[in-house]
Amino acid sequence: MYHVEQVVKCRVVKCIPSSHRISLSFNITPTRASEDENVKPGSLVSGLVVRTTPETVIVDINASSGMKGTISLEHLADNQGLAASLISLIKPGHHFDELLVLDIEGNNIVLTAKYSLVNSTQQLPIDVSQLSCHSVVHGYICNIIETGCFVRFIGRLTGFAPKSKAIDDRRSDLSEVFYVGQSVRSNIVDVSSDVGRITLSLKQSLCCSTDAAFIQEYFLLEEKIAKLQGLDREGSELRWVDAFSICNIIEGKVHEIKDHGVVISFEEYNDVFGFISHHQLAGTSMKKNSAIQAAVLDVSKIDRVVDLSLKPEFINRSKKESSTIKALKKKRKREQKDLEVNQIVNAIVEIVKENYLVLSVPDYNFTIGYASLTDYNTQKLPHKQFTHGQSVSATVMALPAPATCGKLLLLLKHLGDGVDTSSSKRARKKSSYDVGSLIQAEITEIKPLELKVKFGSGFYGRIHITEVTDDNSAESPFSDYRIGQTLASRIVSKGSKTKNIKGGHGCELSIKPSLLKGSGEPDEGLPSEEFNYTYGQRVSGYVYKVDSDWAWLTISRDVNAQLYILDSSCEPCELAEFQNRLRVGKALSGHIITVNKEKKLLRLVMQAPADACGELDEKNYDRRLTCHLVEGSTVGGRISKILPGIGGLLVQIDQHQYGKVHFTELTDSWVSNPLSCYQEGQFVKCKVLEITRGVMGVVHVDLSLRSAPDASRDLGSSELNGGMHTSIQHVDKITDLHPDMVVQGYVKNVSSKGCFIMLSRKIDARILISKLSDNFVENPENEFPIGKLVVGKVLSVEPLSKRVEVTLRTSSALKEPKSGNNPVDHISVGDIISGRIKRIQPYGLFISIDHTNAVGLCHVSELSDDHIEDLETQFKAGEKVTAKVLTVDKERNRISLGLKKSYFKDEEVQASPGQSHDSAIGINDTIMLDEPTVTSQRNSASMEITNNESDNGHQPILADAESRALVPPLEVPLDDMETSDIEGDVGQTLVPVTNADTTAGEKKKRGAKRKAREEREQEIRAAEERQLEKDVPRNTDEFEKLIKSSPNNSYPWIKYMAFMLSLADIEKARSIAELALKRISSQEESEKLNIWVAYLNLENEYGNPPEEAVKKIFVRALQHCDSKKVHLALLEMYERTEQHKLADELFGTTVRKHCNSCKVWLRRIQSLVDRKSDGVQPVVNDALKRLPQHKHIKFLSKTAILEFKCGVPDRGRTLFESILRQHPKRTDLWSIYLDQEIKLGEADMIRALFERAISLSLPLKKMKFLFNKYLAYEKSTGDEKRIESVKAKAIEYAENNLA
């Protein structure tokens, strides 16, 4: 693989100078300092300063990510002088909005704040393959040697500029021209992909700036430094700057006369001075303390010095502009019309500053502009000397805007390309380049999404990637073009005048074949620029940006589109490779589902949406988002959550739409644990089974992950014995089921009476306890846990009530009918029978008849001649009774019995010992054999119509039975259908036993067993009654049972702890808390937090000492739960227990970690207001310094509400007034302010506030709201005169507004 003298590329791992040894590695990529995918070389992050040194700034990346990065002095700014000033002012807590990750060196993340690198992130190369010859790329110098300079881009990608190509003058020393860390523009001379060698040129003639970004950054940093300086003084605002706008006339007094000029002082601003150089005095003689009026030419915000001029051209210009408002508007319109970006003008040097020139443009009413003296590559070189009054040629690069600090930015000719300054030629050339003109343009740079071109004399433009072909179908439309190539193009648009220098690109050109046809007359053949897109329309575009969830496409020059990751494909492997598959520049086609005309933004999907949604209007926007989801379609999904138990999966199928996968729809084959092969975040292929919309418009989607939803599913290892089939048809409809059909399902619910199983997402089946197994089932919950896979056979199906009965028994008794006579044949109406109570239900007693395998039902109406409130107090299971047969249904094997005393008056029947003569009942029910045919409640109830109507006065519960037939399977009690319990299953056919065959000892044993069984049943019954009554468990066993049933629920754990504390067993309570923290799933963060809070309260009450015990638990809780939630919980506990000193200390810690949280500061305000403290205002001031700007209104408004409710209303008024001064048109703030005043009830204050509100100049809709609120108040508290007054004012406003 390697040989001697082979040239290899390697990375230095370790250097030991003493032993002259260097450790190398062929692994070029260093160890990542972070596994976070968002923090990688070339990505933009934010940072919060945690520490500074004289040479570096250490920041916390993305505020709370826990990752640290460093910004060296050289990487704070492109301008070396401003970087030194900036690092001395940055303090911990300072926030950087945008930082670029340059490299990751071991555990150190190297960052930069340079505007040139941050603003050109998309163009910076990370790999050699992204470089193209003759393109100009931003970078920074990482090393200087005698023979040249090394320029680094992103990561370890480095190019080399030989000395001959680094500077124009070879006699200069490179260290005198450049410095390490300097921002440079480099021209790519040669790229050797085989050896990874990049040759660069840093010559100013090839790498000069084509915009004014360098001086723009200078002014932005100057303003930033001035603000940081203000933080050290009283107040951090630069309001004084507003009084010194460029070209404004300002009044001052001569403070001092010096040799090089005059110093001016201002009465209102003691720490701001003006300066007038001799060149700007215009021959005016000055005397000390004399008053003057001068025009502002420049403002140094750092030094607080204003450069002024007394020249008549500036004084007269300002006076004319300020004469009338009308003249001012006309003047501005005229200036904006004349001055254009990329226009070349003649200018005069007014002031020569250290880094830039202040220029005036005589041809445009002496407008003031600013031009840089240096460029990126010439910062250390001596700049060209200029004198006052010198005439220069410059290009307009940016018009005044907030991004330019309100300044007109120019580019001097000697820094940019040479252009013809002749006004006559410029006018001639300019007039010939109108929109629609055909021109010849030369390619100067090739980018992934556009071609940079130049044409004419100093004109620049671009060809967007969508302007190459007519249908955007070409995969690589720029592949056939080279730098320097001349193209025939048509001008389709001119650059926006309002764009800043970052976004300006001159003219928009097109080389579409359809546009190049024609004679070249202006506006000939140009397409309409109307935004006309419809739902379902197919469009094509090119990818220009991709992140983890979205791909952005450019459809045309002004129209963009979004493609969500789950809409890009339905194959999981393709979704996992989303970012790699959709690279920048890739051609893509899709169908429109939403249109945003304001933003000119489309939302695309790959599959064609349903035609039924094509007529949707804008009001049905939410419905459009899901219209492309059609039942039966296949979509891509991402598992959002694995639901506990048999809940299935929650799968994300759109940005805000989720679908549910039923437990039976997870796999193709029946497996014992179908959730084991899935994990959260996994991509899956789903089939849409059903889409339903709720009353409130909520969309519910049922999904399936089975590849063949209609095919049969293998039984696997869970086959039934007895020759059952090896595959099972998946049933979606109850009509597909029939008796004796083999089915398979998962246990859904278990009780002591049996269980329910899921056959599919819509069909459940019931299995009685007697049908669970051929053997005795002692504990159904243990043997048939929820989620267990079982195989059985259908016994009965009732499509109307959607009830299915299944058995799991496989014995021959299930298949062959029992031999022998039917026991019903030997029982006749009127017979007196003896038996034992088998089971007690609210509606009656089940009685097993002696010497048979039959069971009869004695209805509650047939128990006694008198009304019985509670059956369980009168009867016990196993008790021997004598009953009379009331009805016999031999076809359906049903027997109804009665126990009323009136039935036995004429009968001489002696009851056996233990029989209750006080309770006699008569019922209508079914007699069931050992192997009965299971029937429904409805059929059972229909047999209860007997000849006993004379006793009841009406027919039995036929109507109720019909209503119960429609109850879903899960809500049907198993007892209603069950015909034999465990005892009946064990002893199938009872054998007659006579007293002669039984000894006295055996009777005694049976009596003892019966008594023990009855006592145990009473204990179980009492416990179940307490559970039904939702009573709190009374001993540890009941608590343990409750916890096992819901281990992830914090409520029973906390109740268990409270129970132990009531027994004074504190250590046991602690051990329960520790056990709960181990048992509760890590996914249930809120439940765990509840346990931690309970633990903190326990230690606060019983800890020894409490303060240290609480602190230990608090530190542990921070490691497992959200830091802010734990801090707020402990703060609440301290305040509730009035431990104000500890609360104050904790707040100091909390606010350091969560200074950007509005909740933390409001919690503090609430505490101080409740304590009636006077320290509210300092906290408010501190919060406004630390909270982000966008949270100020929320914080101030809520603080004001607290003051109105619990504190001092005047302080609340002050806060509302301060907000409304900054945001007078926020009607929501006015409404809140008015509500608080109305609650106080001071009528004069309320009406004065209403009058202020309705005097505002707001849109009609907002004013209508204020008038309605005013009118409602007067109707509730005022008289008729005041009501009419408000109406009159509203009418007057409406008339004036219409006029």
Side-chain angles (χ1 to χ4, degrees), residues 20-58:
H20 302 284
R21 178 176 296 176
I22 299 176
S23 298
L24 306 175
S25 173
F26 289 159
N27 183 10
I28 304 302
T29 305
T31 304
R32 288 285 177 92
S34 170
E35 295 298 328
D36 190 347
E37 295 180 357
N38 296 324
V39 181
K40 57 185 179 181
S43 62
L44 289 175
V45 298
S46 62
L48 188 69
V49 177
V50 296
R51 185 162 53 90
T52 61
T53 67
E55 297 296 327
T56 58
V57 177
I58 294 89

CSV table of all heavy atoms in Angstrom, one decimal, residues 20-58:
chain,number,residue,atom,x,y,z
A,20,HIS,N,12.7,14.9,19.6
A,20,HIS,CA,12.6,15.1,18.1
A,20,HIS,C,11.7,14.1,17.5
A,20,HIS,O,12.0,13.5,16.4
A,20,HIS,CB,14.0,15.1,17.5
A,20,HIS,CG,15.0,16.1,18.0
A,20,HIS,ND1,15.0,17.4,17.7
A,20,HIS,CD2,16.0,15.9,18.9
A,20,HIS,CE1,15.9,18.0,18.4
A,20,HIS,NE2,16.6,17.2,19.1
A,21,ARG,N,10.6,13.9,18.1
A,21,ARG,CA,9.7,12.9,17.6
A,21,ARG,C,8.3,13.5,17.3
A,21,ARG,O,7.8,14.3,18.1
A,21,ARG,CB,9.5,11.8,18.6
A,21,ARG,CG,8.5,10.7,18.2
A,21,ARG,CD,8.5,9.6,19.2
A,21,ARG,NE,9.7,8.9,19.3
A,21,ARG,CZ,10.0,7.9,20.1
A,21,ARG,NH1,9.1,7.5,21.0
A,21,ARG,NH2,11.2,7.3,20.1
A,22,ILE,N,7.7,13.1,16.2
A,22,ILE,CA,6.4,13.6,15.8
A,22,ILE,C,5.5,12.4,15.5
A,22,ILE,O,5.9,11.5,14.7
A,22,ILE,CB,6.4,14.5,14.5
A,22,ILE,CG1,7.3,15.8,14.8
A,22,ILE,CG2,5.0,14.9,14.1
A,22,ILE,CD1,7.4,16.7,13.6
A,23,SER,N,4.3,12.3,16.1
A,23,SER,CA,3.4,11.2,15.9
A,23,SER,C,2.4,11.7,14.8
A,23,SER,O,1.8,12.8,14.9
A,23,SER,CB,2.6,10.9,17.2
A,23,SER,OG,3.5,10.4,18.1
A,24,LEU,N,2.2,10.9,13.8
A,24,LEU,CA,1.4,11.2,12.7
A,24,LEU,C,0.2,10.2,12.6
A,24,LEU,O,0.3,9.1,13.1
A,24,LEU,CB,2.1,11.2,11.4
A,24,LEU,CG,3.4,12.1,11.3
A,24,LEU,CD1,4.1,11.9,10.0
A,24,LEU,CD2,3.0,13.6,11.5
A,25,SER,N,-0.8,10.6,11.9
A,25,SER,CA,-2.0,9.8,11.6
A,25,SER,C,-2.4,9.9,10.2
A,25,SER,O,-2.5,11.1,9.7
A,25,SER,CB,-3.1,10.1,12.6
A,25,SER,OG,-4.3,9.4,12.3
A,26,PHE,N,-2.8,8.8,9.5
A,26,PHE,CA,-3.3,8.9,8.2
A,26,PHE,C,-4.8,9.2,8.2
A,26,PHE,O,-5.4,9.4,7.1
A,26,PHE,CB,-3.1,7.6,7.4
A,26,PHE,CG,-1.6,7.4,7.1
A,26,PHE,CD1,-1.2,6.1,6.8
A,26,PHE,CD2,-0.7,8.4,7.0
A,26,PHE,CE1,0.2,5.9,6.5
A,26,PHE,CE2,0.6,8.2,6.7
A,26,PHE,CZ,1.1,7.0,6.4
A,27,ASN,N,-5.4,9.2,9.4
A,27,ASN,CA,-6.8,9.6,9.5
A,27,ASN,C,-6.8,11.2,9.5
A,27,ASN,O,-6.5,11.8,10.5
A,27,ASN,CB,-7.4,9.1,10.8
A,27,ASN,CG,-8.9,9.4,10.9
A,27,ASN,OD1,-9.5,9.9,9.9
A,27,ASN,ND2,-9.4,9.1,12.0
A,28,ILE,N,-7.2,11.8,8.4
A,28,ILE,CA,-7.1,13.2,8.3
A,28,ILE,C,-8.2,13.9,9.2
A,28,ILE,O,-8.0,15.0,9.7
A,28,ILE,CB,-7.3,13.7,6.8
A,28,ILE,CG1,-6.3,12.9,5.9
A,28,ILE,CG2,-7.2,15.2,6.7
A,28,ILE,CD1,-4.9,13.2,6.3
A,29,THR,N,-9.3,13.3,9.3
A,29,THR,CA,-10.4,13.9,10.0
A,29,THR,C,-10.2,13.8,11.5
A,29,THR,O,-10.0,12.7,12.0
A,29,THR,CB,-11.8,13.3,9.7
A,29,THR,OG1,-12.0,13.3,8.3
A,29,THR,CG2,-12.9,14.0,10.4
A,30,PRO,N,-10.1,14.8,12.3
A,30,PRO,CA,-9.8,14.8,13.7
A,30,PRO,C,-11.1,14.3,14.4
A,30,PRO,O,-12.2,14.2,13.9
A,30,PRO,CB,-9.5,16.2,14.1
A,30,PRO,CG,-10.2,17.0,13.1
A,30,PRO,CD,-10.2,16.2,11.8
A,31,THR,N,-10.9,13.9,15.7
A,31,THR,CA,-12.0,13.5,16.6
A,31,THR,C,-13.0,14.7,16.8
A,31,THR,O,-12.5,15.8,17.1
A,31,THR,CB,-11.5,13.0,17.9
A,31,THR,OG1,-10.5,12.0,17.7
A,31,THR,CG2,-12.6,12.5,18.8
A,32,ARG,N,-14.2,14.4,16.6
A,32,ARG,CA,-15.2,15.4,16.7
A,32,ARG,C,-15.4,15.8,18.2
A,32,ARG,O,-15.4,14.9,19.1
A,32,ARG,CB,-16.6,15.0,16.2
A,32,ARG,CG,-16.6,14.9,14.7
A,32,ARG,CD,-16.7,16.3,14.1
A,32,ARG,NE,-16.7,16.3,12.6
A,32,ARG,CZ,-17.8,16.2,11.9
A,32,ARG,NH1,-18.9,16.2,12.5
A,32,ARG,NH2,-17.7,16.2,10.6
A,33,ALA,N,-15.5,17.1,18.4
A,33,ALA,CA,-15.8,17.5,19.8
A,33,ALA,C,-17.2,17.4,20.2
A,33,ALA,O,-17.6,17.4,21.3
A,33,ALA,CB,-15.4,19.0,20.0
A,34,SER,N,-18.1,17.2,19.2
A,34,SER,CA,-19.5,17.1,19.5
A,34,SER,C,-20.1,16.1,18.6
A,34,SER,O,-19.7,16.0,17.4
A,34,SER,CB,-20.1,18.4,19.4
A,34,SER,OG,-21.5,18.3,19.5
A,35,GLU,N,-21.0,15.3,19.1
A,35,GLU,CA,-21.8,14.4,18.2
A,35,GLU,C,-23.0,15.1,17.6
A,35,GLU,O,-23.8,14.5,16.9
A,35,GLU,CB,-22.2,13.2,19.1
A,35,GLU,CG,-21.1,12.4,19.5
A,35,GLU,CD,-20.2,11.7,18.4
A,35,GLU,OE1,-20.8,11.5,17.4
A,35,GLU,OE2,-19.0,11.6,18.6
A,36,ASP,N,-23.2,16.4,18.0
A,36,ASP,CA,-24.4,17.1,17.5
A,36,ASP,C,-24.2,17.3,16.0
A,36,ASP,O,-23.2,17.9,15.5
A,36,ASP,CB,-24.5,18.4,18.2
A,36,ASP,CG,-25.8,19.1,17.9
A,36,ASP,OD1,-26.5,18.7,17.0
A,36,ASP,OD2,-26.2,20.0,18.7
A,37,GLU,N,-25.2,16.9,15.2
A,37,GLU,CA,-25.1,17.0,13.8
A,37,GLU,C,-25.2,18.5,13.3
A,37,GLU,O,-24.7,18.8,12.3
A,37,GLU,CB,-26.2,16.2,13.1
A,37,GLU,CG,-26.1,14.7,13.3
A,37,GLU,CD,-27.2,13.9,12.6
A,37,GLU,OE1,-28.1,14.6,12.0
A,37,GLU,OE2,-27.1,12.7,12.6
A,38,ASN,N,-25.8,19.3,14.1
A,38,ASN,CA,-26.0,20.7,13.8
A,38,ASN,C,-24.7,21.5,14.0
A,38,ASN,O,-24.6,22.6,13.5
A,38,ASN,CB,-27.1,21.3,14.6
A,38,ASN,CG,-28.5,20.7,14.3
A,38,ASN,OD1,-28.7,20.3,13.1
A,38,ASN,ND2,-29.3,20.5,15.3
A,39,VAL,N,-23.8,21.0,14.8
A,39,VAL,CA,-22.5,21.7,15.0
A,39,VAL,C,-21.4,20.9,14.3
A,39,VAL,O,-20.9,19.9,14.7
A,39,VAL,CB,-22.2,21.7,16.5
A,39,VAL,CG1,-20.9,22.5,16.8
A,39,VAL,CG2,-23.3,22.4,17.3
A,40,LYS,N,-21.2,21.4,13.1
A,40,LYS,CA,-20.2,20.8,12.2
A,40,LYS,C,-19.5,21.9,11.4
A,40,LYS,O,-20.1,23.0,11.2
A,40,LYS,CB,-20.8,19.7,11.3
A,40,LYS,CG,-21.9,20.2,10.5
A,40,LYS,CD,-22.5,19.1,9.7
A,40,LYS,CE,-23.7,19.6,8.8
A,40,LYS,NZ,-24.3,18.5,8.1
A,41,PRO,N,-18.3,21.6,10.9
A,41,PRO,CA,-17.7,22.7,10.1
A,41,PRO,C,-18.6,23.1,9.0
A,41,PRO,O,-19.1,22.4,8.2
A,41,PRO,CB,-16.4,22.0,9.6
A,41,PRO,CG,-16.1,20.9,10.6
A,41,PRO,CD,-17.4,20.5,11.1
A,42,GLY,N,-18.7,24.5,8.9
A,42,GLY,CA,-19.5,25.1,7.9
A,42,GLY,C,-20.9,25.4,8.3
A,42,GLY,O,-21.6,26.0,7.5
A,43,SER,N,-21.3,25.0,9.5
A,43,SER,CA,-22.6,25.3,10.0
A,43,SER,C,-22.6,26.6,10.8
A,43,SER,O,-21.6,27.0,11.4
A,43,SER,CB,-23.1,24.2,10.9
A,43,SER,OG,-22.3,24.0,12.0
A,44,LEU,N,-23.8,27.3,10.9
A,44,LEU,CA,-23.9,28.5,11.6
A,44,LEU,C,-24.6,28.2,13.0
A,44,LEU,O,-25.6,27.5,13.0
A,44,LEU,CB,-24.8,29.5,10.8
A,44,LEU,CG,-24.2,30.2,9.6
A,44,LEU,CD1,-25.2,31.0,8.9
A,44,LEU,CD2,-23.0,31.0,9.9
A,45,VAL,N,-24.0,28.8,14.0
A,45,VAL,CA,-24.5,28.6,15.4
A,45,VAL,C,-24.6,29.9,16.1
A,45,VAL,O,-24.1,30.9,15.6
A,45,VAL,CB,-23.6,27.6,16.2
A,45,VAL,CG1,-23.6,26.2,15.5
A,45,VAL,CG2,-22.2,28.2,16.3
A,46,SER,N,-25.3,29.9,17.2
A,46,SER,CA,-25.3,31.1,18.1
A,46,SER,C,-24.4,30.8,19.3
A,46,SER,O,-24.1,29.7,19.6
A,46,SER,CB,-26.7,31.5,18.5
A,46,SER,OG,-27.3,30.4,19.2
A,47,GLY,N,-24.0,31.8,20.0
A,47,GLY,CA,-23.2,31.6,21.2
A,47,GLY,C,-23.4,32.6,22.3
A,47,GLY,O,-23.7,33.8,22.0
A,48,LEU,N,-23.2,32.2,23.5
A,48,LEU,CA,-23.3,33.1,24.7
A,48,LEU,C,-22.0,33.1,25.4
A,48,LEU,O,-21.4,32.0,25.7
A,48,LEU,CB,-24.4,32.5,25.6
A,48,LEU,CG,-24.7,33.4,26.8
A,48,LEU,CD1,-25.5,34.7,26.3
A,48,LEU,CD2,-25.6,32.7,27.8
A,49,VAL,N,-21.4,34.3,25.5
A,49,VAL,CA,-20.0,34.4,26.1
A,49,VAL,C,-20.1,34.0,27.6
A,49,VAL,O,-20.9,34.4,28.3
A,49,VAL,CB,-19.5,35.8,26.0
A,49,VAL,CG1,-18.2,36.0,26.6
A,49,VAL,CG2,-19.5,36.3,24.5
A,50,VAL,N,-19.1,33.0,27.9
A,50,VAL,CA,-19.0,32.6,29.3
A,50,VAL,C,-17.7,33.1,29.9
A,50,VAL,O,-17.7,33.2,31.1
A,50,VAL,CB,-19.1,31.1,29.4
A,50,VAL,CG1,-20.5,30.6,28.9
A,50,VAL,CG2,-18.0,30.4,28.5
A,51,ARG,N,-16.7,33.4,29.1
A,51,ARG,CA,-15.4,33.8,29.7
A,51,ARG,C,-14.6,34.5,28.5
A,51,ARG,O,-14.7,34.1,27.4
A,51,ARG,CB,-14.7,32.6,30.2
A,51,ARG,CG,-13.4,33.0,30.9
A,51,ARG,CD,-12.9,31.8,31.8
A,51,ARG,NE,-12.9,30.6,31.1
A,51,ARG,CZ,-11.8,30.1,30.5
A,51,ARG,NH1,-10.7,30.8,30.5
A,51,ARG,NH2,-11.8,29.0,29.8
A,52,THR,N,-13.8,35.5,28.9
A,52,THR,CA,-12.9,36.1,28.0
A,52,THR,C,-11.5,36.2,28.5
A,52,THR,O,-11.3,36.2,29.7
A,52,THR,CB,-13.4,37.6,27.7
A,52,THR,OG1,-13.4,38.3,28.9
A,52,THR,CG2,-14.8,37.6,27.1
A,53,THR,N,-10.6,36.2,27.6
A,53,THR,CA,-9.2,36.4,27.9
A,53,THR,C,-8.7,37.5,26.9
A,53,THR,O,-9.4,37.9,26.0
A,53,THR,CB,-8.4,35.1,27.7
A,53,THR,OG1,-8.4,34.7,26.3
A,53,THR,CG2,-9.0,33.9,28.5
A,54,PRO,N,-7.5,38.0,27.1
A,54,PRO,CA,-7.0,39.0,26.2
A,54,PRO,C,-6.9,38.6,24.8
A,54,PRO,O,-6.9,39.4,23.9
A,54,PRO,CB,-5.6,39.3,26.8
A,54,PRO,CG,-5.7,39.0,28.2
A,54,PRO,CD,-6.6,37.8,28.3
A,55,GLU,N,-6.8,37.3,24.5
A,55,GLU,CA,-6.7,36.8,23.1
A,55,GLU,C,-7.9,36.0,22.6
A,55,GLU,O,-8.0,35.8,21.4
A,55,GLU,CB,-5.4,35.9,23.0
A,55,GLU,CG,-4.1,36.7,23.3
A,55,GLU,CD,-3.8,37.8,22.3
A,55,GLU,OE1,-4.2,37.6,21.1
A,55,GLU,OE2,-3.3,38.8,22.7
A,56,THR,N,-8.7,35.5,23.5
A,56,THR,CA,-9.8,34.6,23.0
A,56,THR,C,-11.1,34.9,23.8
A,56,THR,O,-11.1,35.5,24.8
A,56,THR,CB,-9.5,33.1,23.2
A,56,THR,OG1,-9.2,32.9,24.6
A,56,THR,CG2,-8.3,32.7,22.4
A,57,VAL,N,-12.2,34.5,23.2
A,57,VAL,CA,-13.5,34.5,23.8
A,57,VAL,C,-14.1,33.1,23.8
A,57,VAL,O,-14.1,32.5,22.7
A,57,VAL,CB,-14.4,35.5,23.0
A,57,VAL,CG1,-15.8,35.5,23.6
A,57,VAL,CG2,-13.9,36.9,23.0
A,58,ILE,N,-14.5,32.7,25.0
A,58,ILE,CA,-15.1,31.3,25.1
A,58,ILE,C,-16.6,31.5,25.2
A,58,ILE,O,-17.1,32.3,26.0
A,58,ILE,CB,-14.5,30.6,26.3
A,58,ILE,CG1,-13.1,30.3,26.2
A,58,ILE,CG2,-15.3,29.3,26.5
A,58,ILE,CD1,-12.1,31.3,26.7
